[in-house]
Amino acid sequence: TDTHTPETMARILAVAKELGNGIHIHLAQSANETRRVKQLWGVTPVQWLEQLGFYEQGVFAAHMSGMDLESDLKIMARHRAYFATCPSGGGPGGTPQPWAEALAAGVKSGPAIDTHSNDMIENVKMAVIHGQARHGLIGASSKVPLMRPTIEHAVNGATSVAASVLGRDDLGRIAVGAKADLITVDVTKPLVGTGAMSPRPLWNLLYASGSDVRNVMTDGYFQVHDNRFVVDDEERIVRRGGAAVKRMYGELLAKGYFK
C-alpha cells in the first residue's frame, strides 16, 4: 500500500472484479508502511483498503506485523478478508506475526508461505509455534485479546478457511463434488510418530515436515506418489536448477556479495 496510488489501486480492483478473483497483497507488513500510508492518505493500510472497496472481492493479506491492532482487526473481521501469516517470511528468526490476535478477533486466517521456506508442512508447524510463543509472551499485557493457536487452527486455516474467502466450496475439504486436491502425510514413522496411529494425528504434524509427505494429488492426478515425484524427471529438474543457481552464485561471488 505504500508503493501505490489511488489510481493504481483502483485499476487492480477493477481487474480483480473483471476476472472474479480475490486480491493477494502484502498489507501493513511493517510499522514503516503504516506510518507512510498514514502520512499519504490519513489512514492505516487496512483502513485505506476499506475506503477503496477492496474487501468486496476478498483480500488475502500477508504479514500485517505493522497493523493497528485495536482498529484494523475489527475491519478485517467484518469483511471478506484473510490474514495470511507467514512464519518464515522474515527468515527463521523473524518476529512472530499477530496471528494470535487475529484468531481472537474472529479474523479468517491461517499459515502461508513467503519464499524463505517452500515447505508448507513446516510453515503450518511454525505458525503454531510462533503463535503460541506470542500468546505466552505478550498475552497478559496486550491491549487486545489473544487466542492460543492450535494445530487444528493451522490446518483449517490453510484449507477450508482459505477456500471460504475465495468463495470456493469445492476447495479445502474432502467431500463429494470437491476438487480431488489431496496430500497424505506419514505421522507414524520415527521422529514424527511412534509406529502407531495417534488418537490425535494432527498433533504429530508439530513434529513433521515436507519430507513426511507421501502423496500429492491435484485435481485427481498424482504429482507425488509414494514419496516419488512422478510428473517429471526430478533428477533433471534438480540438475538444471543447480546449474542455474551456480551461475548466479558465481556472479555474486565475483561482485563480492558474500563478503
Side-chain angles (χ1 to χ4, degrees), residues 158-178:
T159 54
S160 59
V161 175
S164 71
V165 178
L166 286 172
R168 295 287 300 271
D169 291 337
D170 60 332
L171 298 177
R173 53 187 50 80
I174 301 172
V176 175

Side-chain angles (χ1 to χ4, degrees), residues 64-87:
M64 305 200 73
S65 295
M67 70 171 158
D68 184 319
L69 293 170
E70 294 186 68
S71 66
D72 291 348
L73 286 171
K74 296 174 183 177
I75 294 172
M76 295 284 290
R78 69 171 177 258
H79 286 293
R80 189 177 155 201
Y82 180 95
F83 169 33
T85 181
C86 303

